[in-house]
Amino acid sequence: MADVTATVNRTDDMIVCYSPTMITTNGIWQGDNPLDYSLPLFILQLTLVVVTTRLLVFILKPLRQPRVISEILGGVLLGPSVLGQNLHLANLIFPLRSVMVLETMANVGLLYFLFLVGVEMDLTVIRRTGKKAIAIAIIGMILPFIIGCAFSLILHHEDRQMNRSTFVLFLGVALSVTAFPVLARILAELKLINTELGRMAMSSALINDMCAWVLLAVAIALAENESSSLASLWVILSSVFFVVVCIFIVRPVISWMIRRTPEGESFSEFYICLILTGVMISGFVTDAIGTHSVFGAFVFGLVIPNGQLGVTLIEKLEDFVSGLLLPLFFAISGLKTDVTKIHGALTWGFLFLVIILACAGKIAGTLIVALFYQMPLREGIVLGLLMNTKGLVEMIVLNVGRDQHVLDDETFAIMVTVAVIMTSIIAPIVTHIYKPARKFIPYKRRTIQRSKPDGELRILVCIHTPRNVPTIINLLEASHPSKKSPICVYVLHLVELTGRASAMLIVHNTRKSGCPALNRTQAQSDHIINAFENYEQHSSCVSVQPLTAISPYSTMHEDICNLAEDKRVAFIIIPFHKQQTVDGGMEATNPAFRAVNQNVLANAPCSVGILVDRGLNGSTRLAASQVSHHIAVLFFGGPDDREALSYAERMSEHPGISLTVMRFIAGDETVESTVEPSSDPNDPRILTVITDSDREKQLDEEYINDFRMKNSNDESIVYTEKIVNNGEETVAAVRSIDSIHDLFIVGRGQGMISPLTAGLTDWSECPELGAIGDMLASSDFASTVSVLVVQQYVGVGPQEDGLGTPDSPAPPIDQYNSLLQMNRRPPQQRGPAMYSP
């Protein structure tokens, strides 16, 4: 190595020589070891970090742990605490010479992530938060800050070069901050996001976050210039000057760029490139004046106006930055954490004392304010616990402290351990001690058939994307809202809970209408809400209440079913998981939507309709006077078909609707089919429910006769009967129906073992639609007809009136049918109750 230029990296106890020319390898066939070169080594390190982090996210998911815990633990596992115990392996994968490249990339990732945090943060929210949230945030910071200061006096060693006041400030800030993005994630996981408690915690955390940034800037200014108090003053003054320049010069320039771009047009690459370069310039400037570079990026993000530019920047950067580069920063923090440096039982005891007292400080501070504002004691304690969430800001404080030699290895390891333990215990404790009271009033109108014809009909509409909106609005308009029987519509926008911060800010419902959307999710939500509010204004006798559910898809059905129960809904409409393509075929939009639909069918407290959307009158919304539909009901018998006919009968009262009811009757050659004796009745693949077929036939006859009597003089209703002997004849009869119809309403057909559909289920792509629904929804059927597949809620016994949510988590899809079998069985045939009130 004598002929190679060597650069010296001096640490406390060793000198590391490395070659600046050894970036890429000549290849293993030339005898080179790829790990001796910086680029292949960095790629390996990055891959290891991402894979380890993702694996931990998967493992800790059942424990409801936020992603930040997995990221820090991933770093700890790869660092000296675990992997570092094998010195050969540690020197091979994370040699000292590679740390500089790793830290540089981690800080670039951090720079852009905090720029995105700034872009997404809406400062107007802080101006509108109430006194209660401000009091909780400030007093919730003061007490832990005092405790942090007290501990720092014990932890501070006299031989340290750093002055005591800086050390006190760093530890105080580290213990008093609350991580806003991590808290939002925890609240959404615990389904507390839309509660009063959740909104209070979010508002307080947002204010706390802003205070933490100011304290961090001050702490860094003091840390880097402990030798001269005058230098610290210059750092603070120049930081204030930087903020002023950003507000009064940079913001107007960016606003000018926005005005130059016509509405609806995408921003030019030049503008985007200019802004992304501005992030690095801001980082350079703040680093040069003595504040950390992330402070500049964060302030630069804050001055970008909310709106389409913010959405564009987030979409371009978010996945790459938060998915790939940010885990590097947490991994670096973990790599610096050596748990073995925490020596002796006394230090470990001291560590747990720090955790208990820091938690207690936050809880006590929050509780004082909560009791002053007469909040319940338990809510005050839970709020205090939630405010203990730690995350990115604390890790930045600790890293800066360690880099500036304010914190030694032992203190750093203690504080990282404190952050991990404090954040990881919050979700389990809150789940255990806080169960919001669910006051469900039993209600009987759980189906359209049982709803009063002269009473209000309550419908819960679930929407994934704005594409679902026009057809659903046309369907609601066709449902004939009238003064005698108005319709109350609850519109639920279903948003997947991801680790991304942009999905989180939608829950901050303090945003005034008319403000620009912060991200695509919020823009979609605004689009959906505006469409339904417009429908409400132009339609008498319809009231609309928009809501948003943010959940992982695996538990989204709980939100839907709880809301239906809460609002005493009679009918849930949810979109089918496939949508029509240009050539008329059907393609799946998202496989997770299907799981949501199946879980809703299995757990719904009322009737459910799955809408296969093929455009009801195209994609335009029709006024009440323009509605003109030809609707066909295919009636085979059973509770689901009776419910389908009830809904169609209500629609037929609309003057613009023609209804054809086609009843299929078994011919003389029909062979009654039953479940094969060899089949196991508990086999979840059998999509049947044991019912009293004679009683069902009697109910069908009574219902059909009543329907015909009531509508005998109505020319818009046509009733026909088709005699068929088997599944093939049924298919042929359905295919022969006139093509004038634009909506089929069919029952799901569960609970009926019908010879008329025998053999059809063998080829079902989507058994959740039933035999007929699946056939109508398939790609090879008429491509212009929308289909509504209806399942009636049949379990209205006294014990079901207080129906709650399942105690167990969401059932896997392969168990879905057996669960459904249980839910659909008449009360006397059920086993132990599956629901807790």
Side-chain angles (χ1 to χ4, degrees):
M1 293 289 289
D3 59 329
V4 178
T5 310
T7 313
V8 178
N9 178 21
R10 188 177 293 277
T11 65
D12 290 343
D13 51 2
M14 68 181 74
I15 295 169
V16 182
C17 298
Y18 60 92
S19 163
T21 56
M22 291 175 71
I23 307 296
T24 53
T25 169
N26 294 317
I28 51 172
W29 310 118
Q30 301 268 6
D32 283 350
N33 178 0
L35 298 185
D36 288 340
Y37 294 81
S38 59
L39 184 65
L41 182 62
F42 173 71
I43 292 167
L44 176 71
Q45 290 168 336
L46 182 59
T47 308
L48 255 179
V49 166
V50 173
V51 169
T52 309
T53 302
R54 287 288 154 188
L55 204 62
L56 283 168
V57 167
F58 180 73
I59 293 165
L60 296 176
K61 200 173 183 181
L63 303 174
R64 289 182 161 175
Q65 292 301 323
R67 199 169 85 181
V68 65
I69 295 291
S70 307
E71 286 168 342
I72 298 171
L73 285 179
V76 172
L77 288 178
L78 295 172
S81 307
V82 180
L83 187 74
Q85 297 301 306
N86 182 329
L87 285 173
H88 174 70
L89 199 61
N91 288 331
L92 188 70
I93 299 171
F94 291 102
L96 256 177
R97 63 187 163 79
S98 72
V99 170
M100 191 175 81
V101 177
L102 209 54
E103 282 220 43
T104 306
M105 286 307 294
N107 278 296
V108 169
L110 187 63
L111 203 69
Y112 278 101
F113 183 77
L114 284 159
F115 165 68
L116 289 179
V117 170
V119 169
E120 289 186 329
M121 199 168 273
D122 188 0
L123 290 179
T124 56
V125 168
I126 294 177
R127 289 209 296 269
R128 290 196 298 274
T129 47
K131 290 178 185 173
K132 199 194 297 188
I134 294 168
I136 287 170
I138 291 170
I139 296 177
M141 279 189 89
I142 292 169
L143 271 176
F145 192 84
I146 293 166
I147 289 168
C149 294
F151 273 111
S152 61
L153 298 175
I154 303 166
L155 271 174
H156 188 267
H157 303 305
E158 290 303 326
D159 59 341
R160 187 171 289 137
Q161 314 144 2
M162 184 56 56
N163 64 36
R164 181 170 289 190
S165 59
T166 312
F167 185 69
V168 165
L169 189 61
F170 265 87
L171 243 65
V173 172
L175 283 176
S176 60
V177 296
T178 300
F180 173 71
V182 181
L183 176 69
R185 170 89 200 191
I186 289 173
L187 286 171
E189 284 276 5
L190 299 178
K191 302 204 182 298
L192 296 175
I193 204 98
N194 287 319
T195 61
E196 187 57 39
L197 181 80
R199 279 192 283 271
M200 184 61 60
M202 292 281 280
S203 302
S204 305
L206 196 60
I207 296 159
N208 186 303
D209 228 19
M210 293 307 296
C211 295
W213 278 105
V214 176
L215 285 172
L216 176 62
V218 172
I220 293 168
L222 293 174
E224 294 188 348
N225 301 286
E226 76 281 1
S227 56
S228 162
S229 56
L230 198 63
S232 295
L233 183 66
W234 279 116
V235 171
I236 293 167
L237 286 175
S238 50
S239 300
V240 171
F241 178 72
F242 171 78
V243 173
V244 170
V245 168
C246 280
I247 294 169
F248 294 104
I249 296 173
V250 177
R251 189 181 171 93
V253 170
I254 294 171
S255 298
W256 174 80
M257 286 182 195
I258 294 169
R259 286 195 301 274
R260 284 285 305 270
T261 307
E263 201 171 334
E265 295 268 323
S266 56
F267 288 88
S268 75
E269 263 184 59
F270 175 68
Y271 289 161
I272 299 292
C273 193
L274 212 59
I275 289 167
L276 296 183
T277 311
V279 178
M280 288 186 280
I281 293 168
S282 302
F284 173 78
V285 170
T286 46
D287 204 67
I289 61 179
T291 322
H292 199 283
S293 56
V294 295
F295 180 74
F298 178 68
V299 172
F300 188 72
L302 276 179
V303 298
I304 288 182
N306 290 333
Q308 194 54 45
L309 178 61
V311 176
T312 308
L313 289 166
I314 289 161
E315 282 177 358
K316 284 187 184 297
L317 290 175
E318 180 129 42
D319 288 325
F320 180 69
V321 171
S322 62
L324 204 64
L325 295 181
L326 191 66
L328 263 186
F329 172 72
F330 287 111
I332 282 285
S333 305
L335 286 167
K336 292 177 186 173
T337 307
D338 190 353
V339 181
T340 57
K341 288 273 169 65
I342 307 174
H343 295 299
L346 187 68
T347 316
W348 278 102
F350 184 69
L351 182 143
F352 285 109
L353 189 65
V354 173
I355 293 170
I356 292 162
L357 284 177
C359 271
K362 274 273 190 206
I363 293 168
T366 309
L367 204 55
I368 291 165
V369 181
L371 294 174
F372 178 77
Y373 282 102
Q374 298 174 337
M375 282 171 71
L377 181 70
R378 182 174 287 188
E379 283 197 13
I381 293 169
V382 169
L383 196 54
L385 272 168
L386 290 168
M387 297 303 283
N388 272 303
T389 312
K390 304 292 178 205
L392 192 65
V393 179
E394 184 180 22
M395 296 314 294
I396 295 169
V397 172
L398 296 178
N399 273 286
V400 171
R402 189 182 182 282
D403 293 344
Q404 299 296 328
H405 305 292
V406 179
L407 311 175
D408 59 10
D409 287 350
E410 184 186 31
T411 314
F412 182 80
I414 287 174
M415 294 310 293
V416 170
T417 312
V418 166
V420 170
I421 293 173
M422 279 171 83
T423 307
S424 60
I425 60 174
I426 287 167
I429 292 176
V430 171
T431 309
H432 185 69
I433 68 169
Y434 185 68
K435 292 182 173 69
R438 301 194 63 79
K439 295 173 184 173
F440 284 138
I441 305 162
Y443 72 103
K444 291 178 182 174
R445 315 283 171 203
R446 292 176 184 267
T447 67
I448 295 171
Q449 193 183 341
R450 290 173 70 100
S451 295
K452 289 179 181 174
D454 55 350
E456 182 184 58
L457 177 64
R458 295 186 178 195
I459 297 177
L460 171 60
V461 169
C462 300
I463 304 246
H464 290 293
T465 64
R467 180 173 175 155
N468 308 139
V469 172
T471 298
I472 285 179
I473 287 181
N474 287 338
L475 181 68
L476 291 170
E477 189 51 63
S479 304
H480 192 51
S482 61
K483 284 182 180 171
K484 186 177 78 167
S485 179
I487 294 180
C488 179
V489 184
Y490 297 95
V491 181
L492 188 65
H493 182 204
L494 305 176
V495 179
E496 185 190 11
L497 172 66
T498 62
R500 297 171 54 151
S502 60
M504 302 313 314
L505 280 152
I506 190 173
V507 300
H508 226 285
N509 291 328
T510 48
R511 196 174 67 91
K512 288 178 182 170
S513 57
C515 290
L518 293 167
N519 51 58
R520 172 168 280 184
T521 311
Q522 205 170 60
Q524 280 198 343
S525 211
D526 286 354
H527 185 98
I528 291 163
I529 289 164
N530 290 341
F532 276 95
E533 283 178 349
N534 183 36
Y535 165 56
E536 182 183 24
Q537 285 164 12
H538 290 87
S539 175
S540 55
C541 315
V542 175
S543 59
V544 173
Q545 285 194 35
L547 301 146
T548 304
I550 301 184
S551 282
Y553 284 131
S554 57
T555 62
M556 198 170 268
H557 66 283
E558 291 177 24
D559 290 343
I560 297 167
C561 297
N562 288 345
L563 183 67
E565 185 87 40
D566 247 343
K567 304 295 185 186
R568 307 177 69 167
V569 165
F571 195 46
I572 297 171
I573 299 174
I574 191 160
F576 186 47
H577 69 278
K578 291 183 180 180
Q579 64 185 23
Q580 194 173 24
T581 54
V582 180
D583 61 356
M586 299 293 287
E587 67 170 7
T589 45
N590 186 336
F593 294 174
R594 184 180 184 187
V596 173
N597 291 1
Q598 291 176 325
N599 284 325
V600 168
L601 286 167
N603 297 291
C606 60
S607 293
V608 180
I610 294 183
L611 179 65
V612 181
D613 179 4
R614 289 195 179 113
L616 205 54
N617 279 99
S619 60
T620 53
R621 189 182 72 72
L622 300 173
S625 57
Q626 296 174 306
V627 170
S628 174
H629 297 300
H630 293 276
I631 295 171
V633 174
L634 308 183
F635 190 94
F636 290 85
D640 293 348
D641 287 41
R642 292 195 294 274
E643 184 76 353
L645 187 53
S646 300
Y647 189 42
E649 187 179 7
R650 180 189 171 101
M651 294 170 95
S652 70
E653 293 172 22
H654 195 293
I657 284 180
S658 308
L659 173 65
T660 303
V661 178
M662 185 179 283
R663 187 183 184 190
F664 290 80
I665 297 172
D668 299 334
E669 298 170 31
T670 308
V671 180
E672 283 291 334
S673 94
T674 54
V675 179
E676 294 172 27
S678 61
S679 298
D680 174 10
N682 295 320
D683 188 341
R685 287 171 298 178
I686 298 173
L687 287 164
T688 57
V689 190
I690 305 151
T691 56
D692 183 352
S693 58
D694 292 336
R695 183 167 165 272
E696 286 296 338
K697 282 176 185 171
Q698 186 188 340
L699 288 170
D700 289 342
E701 287 297 335
E702 286 173 6
Y703 192 77
I704 286 285
N705 291 337
D706 183 48
F707 170 78
R708 292 181 70 182
M709 285 278 289
K710 276 195 289 187
N711 301 293
S712 55
N713 298 322
D714 192 336
E715 291 179 6
S716 67
I717 297 176
V718 177
Y719 174 83
T720 59
E721 291 183 350
K722 284 263 184 185
I723 296 172
V724 289
N725 295 301
N726 52 43
E728 284 177 32
E729 290 185 16
T730 303
V731 173
V734 171
R735 287 190 181 279
S736 69
I737 296 171
D738 294 340
S739 59
I740 57 165
H741 299 102
D742 46 19
L743 176 66
F744 279 116
I745 303 180
V746 295
R748 193 165 165 257
Q750 294 304 297
M752 300 306 294
I753 306 166
S754 172
L756 309 184
T757 57
L760 297 185
T761 50
D762 298 347
W763 306 101
S764 282
E765 278 183 63
C766 305
E768 69 269 20
L769 296 182
I772 302 298
D774 181 71
M775 180 181 72
L776 295 172
S778 64
S779 299
D780 56 348
F781 198 73
S783 60
T784 54
V785 187
S786 295
V787 184
L788 184 68
V789 181
V790 178
Q791 169 185 287
Q792 185 176 51
Y793 177 78
V794 293
V796 195
Q799 72 268 47
E800 283 91 356
D801 275 356
L803 198 68
T805 53
D807 276 339
S808 57
I813 295 171
D814 56 352
Q815 294 173 10
Y816 151 73
N817 293 322
S818 56
L819 213 168
L820 181 69
Q821 210 172 347
M822 190 78 174
N823 196 31
R824 297 294 310 277
R825 206 173 289 159
Q828 67 273 21
Q829 293 176 341
R830 290 195 186 178
M834 291 188 61
Y835 295 94
S836 61

